Amino acid sequence: MNLNPKQEEAKNKVEWPLLIIAWAGSWKTATLTARVEHMIRDKNINPGEILMVTFTNKAASEMRERVAKVLWVEAPRSVYVRGNFPMVWTFHSIWIFILKDVLSRYLPEELSIWLKKDFVIYDESDKLSVLKSILKNTLHLEEKEFPARQIAFYISNAKNSLITAKWYEKEVDSSIKEVVYKAYIEYEKNLAQNNALDFDDILVKTLALLRIPKILDEYQEKYKYLMIDEYQDTNAPQYEIVKLLAEKYRNLAVVWDDSQSIYSWRGADMRNIINFRKDYSDALIVKLEQNYRSTKKIIAWANAVIWNNISGIKKELWTNND
């Protein structure tokens, strides 16, 4: 496909930090696909050194299929069988891959986490079941007064803000948070006893491993080129993981759309764009403002609404579609 000048600019900026401001209908995915093709075909970058991360399985699958098509190869069906292909998966699938890879090569005493390589992952029902048992049998509290789902929400928020069970005591300023603190302590004991982690721990434990210098160095060498889609939905652990991986070579491209943030309930922090601009003050900023999906009248209406926003990045969408 033919890229417009701004898309070309984003495609060609391979080394050094890059912030792509992309809105709905701006052919963002096509731009990223062209960028990967350019890196491999024109810049002779090893496909295995490219890490592309997004949030949903659907988005990751679409990205893999598009990359496979332009490279004339078959898209891998598993994160563990990639061959000569970029790592294109979701945040959680990639971090599970890293956890299992590290835990298969290092003894537990060499690491800063209690996890073993045959760990299990608690889903939401497992988490609620454990918390209900803790509240009833350990803390002797009534479910009606302190619902397990509410306690789980507080614990998840704490983990996504990088607040451990031990440090949560400083957050206690109400009766509900006192219960959360006690339940959090017991919940972490249960996870450790069962060699288990929950959805939030996948990020927290990966971050803990990457804070070990020799392990960080391995993955900085392994993935020298990083692309992060839907960057507006990153939370604190995700931001710190990406920052660690990118700090050696600084070949980091992120795609940001402040109008489409959907994960605030899971700790997504819009302030990460402020942190990005502070950490990468020399980043090239490219705005993809041309819209290929809507008509001129719709875009005019959208701009009229957007211009009233007092926060976010200023934008002026436009289109050639009549």
Side-chain angles (χ1 to χ4, degrees):
M1 62 166 285
N2 294 322
L3 301 181
N4 66 42
K6 286 297 182 181
Q7 292 168 334
E8 280 285 347
E9 187 178 10
K11 181 197 82 173
N12 292 326
K13 184 66 175 180
V14 173
E15 286 82 17
W16 227 243
L18 169 66
L19 171 60
I20 302 172
I21 309 295
W23 291 284
S26 62
W27 280 3
K28 170 196 68 177
T29 303
T31 303
L32 292 179
T33 303
R35 192 171 187 270
V36 174
E37 182 182 18
H38 171 65
M39 292 167 72
I40 295 171
R41 293 196 187 283
D42 302 330
K43 306 289 285 186
N44 295 317
I45 292 171
N46 181 348
E49 294 180 348
I50 301 171
L51 178 69
M52 298 181 68
V53 191
T54 189
F55 275 83
T56 68
N57 288 319
K58 181 180 179 181
S61 178
E62 179 186 358
M63 189 72 74
R64 282 196 303 277
E65 291 297 332
R66 290 199 181 198
V67 170
K69 187 175 181 180
V70 298
L71 295 180
W72 296 89
V73 296
E74 185 176 351
R77 299 186 180 275
S78 168
V79 69
Y80 301 98
V81 184
R82 292 184 300 112
N84 197 28
F85 197 87
M87 174 70 94
V88 187
W89 300 87
T90 65
F91 266 103
H92 288 84
S93 59
I94 292 174
W95 306 155
I96 290 172
F97 170 81
I98 289 177
L99 282 171
K100 290 186 174 181
D101 180 45
V102 173
L103 293 170
S104 69
R105 296 184 290 110
Y106 289 89
L107 297 172
E109 52 267 29
E110 296 179 84
L111 307 173
S112 57
I113 61 175
W114 40 257
L115 213 57
K116 298 177 183 177
K117 63 180 180 181
D118 56 345
F119 62 83
V120 296
I121 300 174
Y122 283 0
D123 62 18
E124 195 63 21
S125 62
D126 295 327
K127 178 196 283 189
L128 292 176
S129 178
V130 170
L131 286 172
K132 284 179 181 178
S133 176
I134 290 171
L135 291 167
K136 180 181 178 180
N137 302 319
T138 305
L139 301 183
H140 307 293
L141 298 170
E142 291 293 330
E143 167 75 12
K144 289 183 179 180
E145 187 177 1
F146 298 103
R149 191 173 296 278
Q150 184 181 21
I151 303 302
F153 178 79
Y154 275 99
I155 291 175
S156 181
N157 274 354
K159 290 189 177 186
N160 286 324
S161 299
L162 296 175
I163 301 172
T164 64
K166 177 182 176 181
W167 286 99
Y168 195 84
E169 186 175 16
K170 295 183 177 181
E171 301 293 311
V172 175
D173 57 8
S174 63
S175 59
I176 183 66
K177 287 190 176 181
E178 179 69 32
V179 172
V180 171
Y181 169 60
K182 293 176 180 177
Y184 195 177
I185 293 286
E186 296 301 320
Y187 178 61
E188 291 296 282
K189 288 180 183 177
N190 179 281
L191 288 170
Q193 289 167 359
N194 291 285
N195 191 35
L197 43 73
D198 61 25
F199 199 65
D200 303 311
D201 283 325
I202 295 170
L203 305 175
V204 174
K205 301 304 180 187
T206 301
L207 177 58
L209 288 181
L210 291 176
R211 282 174 170 163
I212 301 173
K214 62 181 178 182
I215 293 176
L216 176 60
D217 185 65
E218 283 184 36
Y219 286 96
Q220 286 175 335
E221 290 298 323
K222 188 177 182 68
Y223 302 120
K224 296 178 181 178
Y225 300 87
L226 284 73
M227 277 186 273
I228 315 298
D229 194 12
E230 309 293 358
Y231 196 68
Q232 73 276 357
D233 286 321
T234 54
N235 58 24
Q238 289 162 337
Y239 184 89
E240 291 300 324
I241 289 170
V242 171
K243 182 180 176 181
L244 282 173
L245 289 174
E247 69 180 2
K248 186 172 185 177
Y249 291 103
R250 304 185 82 243
N251 300 323
L252 171 63
V254 304
V255 180
W256 175 272
D257 182 355
D258 56 343
S259 299
Q260 296 195 82
S261 181
I262 62 172
Y263 283 121
S264 59
W265 59 273
R266 207 164 69 191
D269 192 343
M270 293 289 281
R271 291 173 298 181
N272 281 347
I273 193 63
I274 298 173
N275 295 329
F276 180 90
R277 286 173 149 179
K278 181 178 66 176
D279 293 334
Y280 309 98
S281 58
D282 56 343
L284 173 66
I285 299 176
V286 178
K287 292 184 179 182
L288 304 185
E289 293 175 301
Q290 182 174 359
N291 184 284
Y292 293 90
R293 184 179 300 163
S294 299
T295 62
K296 291 180 180 178
K297 185 171 288 188
I298 292 173
I299 293 299
W301 289 341
N303 279 332
V305 175
I306 290 169
W307 287 335
N308 289 291
N309 292 340
I310 59 173
S311 62
I313 297 171
K314 294 301 179 183
K315 64 198 75 121
E316 184 169 357
L317 310 183
W318 64 276
T319 184
N320 284 325
N321 296 335
D322 291 329

